[in-house]
Amino acid sequence: MWSSSAVARNTAVLLTISLLQLARGISIVKSGVSNYSFPDDFIFGVGTAAFQIEGGWNEGGKGENMWDTKLHSEPTITVDHSNGDVSADSYHHYMDDIEMIKKLGVQAYRMSISWTRILPNGTDNNINQEGVKYYRTIFEELLKANITPVVTLYHWDMPTPFIALGGWINAKVIDYFEDYARVAFRLYGDLVKMWLTINEPNENCKNTYEYYKLPAAVKLQGVEIYICTHNSLRAHARVYRMYEKEFKPDQQGKVSIVLESAWPEPNDPNKPEDVEASENYLQMQIGMFAHPIFSEEGDYPRVVREKINNMSRLQGFARSRLPYFTDEEVTALRGSADFFALNHYSSMTVSPLKEDYYWKDLSYYNDTGVHIQVDPFWTRSAAFWQYIYPPGFRKLINWLQNNYKILREIPIFITENGYIDLGGTEDYERVDYYNDYLYQLPLAIHEDGCNVKGYFAWSLMDHFEWRDGYTIKFGLYSVDFNSPNRTRTPKLSAYNYANIVRTRRIDFDYIKRPENLNTTTSKLAK
Ligand code: BGC
């Protein structure tokens, strides 16, 4: 039994928490149609990535990539011991995919090219014509349907031959990436006018070299991650400048890189150290990549440079674990994007790391120096890492807009945002997530003056979710992974998204949740 003083203490805690909640901008959702609409030139889209949906791993002359190879030799990498051999089988069902996209009524489709489907060894001396034709047909069919293809060159599927070289930690891979990009621009640049070089280099470097030690890692914690960061940025600049010189004058396309961040809410917004922890998190997570490209002065953010230099010094290194760009590289990187491509899924609360001597262990986490928690009032999706706090989306966009002046001239596109559940077509929680998160965009646009011009829901359909295999789902369309032709069925969230796209407003009542439905997601604020 609780003593009465414990109850009093508890009430006080709850009161403090709910005041904090108010400060964080959460309220209970209403119904009806949103007051704001999406501007006429706002682009709605939906996204996927080759390895996550394509399958056909050894068909049509495709070479192996690091995921094919690793999952065949070490199936325990995925929680369900699955792989991407067939996945949603878009290699054979791409016309079904295009029909699904048409039904959503969106104007754009973000997809990726599998590097080894067009260059089986990763190198440009051997071009696979069957693979070339596969993507060309998709782009042509999309354009026939008035859907703009937005194409990612690298969505984490490193050609297997480069694993032995260390993947992104070997600077030679920059040359190979440039060669591959040149082939793609030459082959498809007449059809594709929006290119994304690398998807989330921050997550790619963290997951490959720091957290999960994926195939290319040689296991130097706190070191490889920054070599990967550095080379990814150099590779992006190389490809951007190559396109600018060799293709842009004729093709008139736009090129960017996809960056990602959760929103780090200061644990106590009244504590300067928590506010500083939030800033540190952002600079290490997204500023490390965005500052060299989007800031006026270029290069890594000062706070990132100082942090990693200091930690390296304390740890006895004669040189920083964060490499330095040459002056030419700083110049090539600065301004190397025609729009900002942002992925966002989740929020967290942050405060400074307090453990003594945490600097003794080499790691990105320790370099960041931020302790990550979550707000007890936020609900979680089916993924351990996804906490729902829609205002965090707006705050992140504002942070970017305030940090990088160039975003007054070039637009922000949200290239991924979506909700994770365990499957099924009656996905009321996903409907809520999209309503609540999408609602933040008109607020950011109309009330804060942010230059957001487009949004891609992630994902078009259920897919292979990296180490989670097929255990968690993201799709607007469900895929029956047990049926031979991978039957696709629209979920409630697909109807809801199509309605938002059609009306350019959010109707919070469009999908009525049955009264007695017991779900975990609370309704969050508009
Ligand atoms: C990746 C996607 C992935 C999603 C959810 C993003 O980091 O680009 O491939 O499905 O997150 O984990």
Side-chain angles (χ1 to χ4, degrees):
M1 283 279 278
W2 282 2
S3 71
S4 54
S5 66
V7 172
R9 232 185 3 253
N10 221 50
T11 317
V13 170
L14 278 178
L15 199 63
T16 324
I17 290 174
S18 50
L19 287 175
L20 210 56
Q21 287 304 116
L22 282 178
R24 286 186 183 150
I26 286 204
S27 62
I28 300 302
V29 123
K30 27 192 127 127
S31 52
V33 179
S34 62
N35 325 332
Y36 287 123
S37 63
F38 289 88
D40 290 345
D41 61 350
F42 189 90
I43 291 169
F44 285 102
V46 68
T48 59
F51 192 79
Q52 295 182 271
I53 62 162
E54 237 174 50
W57 76 280
N58 59 357
E59 288 184 66
K62 175 178 164 293
E64 282 190 34
N65 63 49
M66 89 176 190
W67 284 92
D68 292 318
T69 308
K70 192 64 181 177
L71 295 175
H72 291 154
S73 65
E74 211 181 306
T76 50
I77 290 244
T78 44
V79 294
D80 55 358
H81 302 182
S82 64
N83 58 41
D85 288 3
V86 182
S87 186
D89 202 14
S90 288
Y91 185 61
H92 297 108
H93 293 280
Y94 60 90
M95 283 310 289
D96 297 340
D97 299 349
I98 295 174
E99 275 313 305
M100 284 146 56
I101 302 165
K102 281 198 216 166
K103 289 208 172 97
L104 293 172
V106 295
Q107 296 91 45
Y109 178 46
R110 176 181 172 216
M111 55 179 280
S112 77
I113 294 177
S114 159
W115 186 340
T116 54
R117 193 174 290 290
I118 62 171
L119 303 181
N121 314 316
T123 51
D124 65 354
N125 60 326
N126 174 18
I127 300 181
N128 172 33
Q129 291 309 329
E130 245 182 289
V132 169
K133 187 158 172 284
Y134 172 69
Y135 293 113
R136 193 151 185 102
T137 310
I138 296 180
F139 301 146
E140 285 172 350
E141 290 295 332
L142 287 168
L143 289 168
K144 256 193 243 166
N146 264 329
I147 296 160
T148 303
V150 176
V151 177
T152 315
L153 289 168
Y154 182 77
H155 202 121
W156 303 356
D157 39 7
M158 178 65 67
T160 296
F162 303 151
I163 298 179
L165 304 180
W168 286 113
I169 59 174
N170 188 330
K172 188 69 198 155
V173 169
I174 302 175
D175 293 342
Y176 292 130
F177 183 62
E178 185 186 9
D179 298 343
Y180 156 56
R182 183 179 286 106
V183 170
F185 295 151
R186 209 172 47 223
L187 290 171
Y188 305 124
D190 57 330
L191 306 176
V192 178
K193 304 295 176 189
M194 259 179 111
W195 293 97
L196 297 160
T197 53
I198 302 176
N199 179 66
E200 299 185 2
N202 55 350
E203 291 305 313
N204 182 48
C205 292
K206 253 190 261 174
N207 293 338
T208 309
Y209 298 101
E210 187 93 351
Y211 293 161
Y212 304 134
K213 308 278 189 317
L214 289 171
V218 253
K219 300 189 176 44
L220 258 179
Q221 174 120 342
V223 174
E224 290 172 14
I225 181 171
Y226 298 124
I227 306 176
C228 173
T229 297
H230 202 66
N231 286 342
S232 306
L233 282 163
R234 293 159 84 204
H236 164 76
R238 226 15 134 81
V239 169
Y240 181 89
R241 298 297 168 202
M242 180 264 287
Y243 183 84
E244 187 178 48
K245 183 160 168 250
E246 299 175 25
F247 297 95
K248 201 168 190 168
D250 286 340
Q251 298 184 354
Q252 296 292 310
K254 295 193 185 307
V255 179
S256 191
I257 182 170
V258 184
L259 304 182
E260 179 271 346
S261 187
W263 172 251
E265 181 74 7
N267 192 39
D268 180 345
N270 298 315
K271 280 195 183 157
E273 63 268 32
D274 290 1
V275 173
E276 191 186 340
S278 170
E279 181 65 17
N280 286 342
Y281 176 90
L282 286 162
Q283 293 293 359
M284 287 288 290
Q285 171 74 12
I286 193 165
M288 188 159 11
F289 294 83
H291 197 271
I293 299 174
F294 298 95
S295 73
E296 278 175 299
E297 62 275 28
D299 210 338
Y300 292 116
R302 197 160 44 85
V303 57
V304 165
R305 167 58 65 205
E306 279 171 4
K307 260 176 178 300
I308 304 172
N309 284 8
N310 287 340
M311 291 286 268
S312 304
R313 201 172 308 118
L314 283 170
Q315 289 153 345
F317 286 87
R319 69 175 79 228
S320 176
R321 284 180 283 113
L322 181 67
Y324 283 84
F325 292 118
T326 62
D327 290 348
E328 292 73 35
E329 285 169 343
V330 170
T331 308
L333 268 162
R334 201 193 301 119
S336 63
D338 302 318
F339 56 96
F340 198 110
L342 175 69
N343 292 358
H344 173 77
Y345 287 91
S346 181
S347 283
M348 56 189 56
T349 56
V350 293
S351 52
L353 255 190
K354 295 232 172 61
E355 293 87 354
D356 287 345
Y357 308 120
Y358 67 79
W359 52 268
K360 281 197 170 162
D361 296 323
L362 307 189
S363 82
Y364 167 83
Y365 178 74
N366 286 342
D367 289 340
T368 305
V370 170
H371 180 53
I372 294 172
Q373 299 136 281
V374 287
D375 186 307
F377 276 72
W378 295 346
T379 50
R380 211 198 74 184
S381 76
F384 73 92
W385 53 266
Q386 188 177 37
Y387 282 85
I388 318 302
Y389 177 54
F393 193 18
R394 179 179 178 186
K395 291 181 187 185
L396 177 63
I397 294 167
N398 270 277
W399 185 87
L400 294 174
Q401 188 81 42
N402 294 334
N403 270 264
Y404 308 117
K405 277 202 202 113
I406 196 163
L407 297 181
R408 291 177 205 152
E409 286 148 44
I410 63 170
I412 301 173
F413 284 89
I414 309 304
T415 36
E416 282 182 36
N417 174 244
Y419 182 79
I420 303 152
D421 66 13
L422 296 174
T425 52
E426 306 220 327
D427 56 343
Y428 295 100
E429 295 180 357
R430 180 169 291 104
V431 169
D432 286 348
Y433 180 94
Y434 277 123
N435 286 345
D436 294 337
Y437 272 74
L438 269 163
Y439 188 72
Q440 300 299 317
L441 295 183
L443 295 180
I445 296 168
H446 298 297
E447 296 194 358
D448 312 333
C450 295
N451 194 10
V452 188
K453 293 286 186 208
Y455 174 92
F456 292 75
W458 188 269
S459 163
L460 172 62
M461 67 189 118
D462 293 342
H463 58 232
F464 172 82
E465 178 53 26
W466 310 115
R467 298 186 77 236
D468 287 307
Y470 299 95
T471 57
I472 57 176
K473 318 284 181 193
F474 286 75
L476 293 168
Y477 285 80
S478 126
V479 174
D480 179 357
F481 291 103
N482 296 316
S483 75
N485 53 16
R486 299 297 192 265
T487 312
R488 286 121 156 92
T489 312
K491 303 182 188 178
L492 293 178
S493 57
Y495 296 109
N496 187 62
Y497 190 49
N499 184 57
I500 295 172
V501 173
R502 190 171 58 245
T503 61
R504 307 208 143 240
R505 281 180 198 267
I506 298 154
D507 180 351
F508 287 86
D509 299 326
Y510 187 70
I511 302 290
K512 280 256 185 261
R513 182 191 280 257
E515 292 284 309
N516 55 0
L517 194 75
N518 189 10
T519 57
T520 49
T521 306
S522 66
K523 289 277 219 160
L524 298 177
K526 70 173 198 162

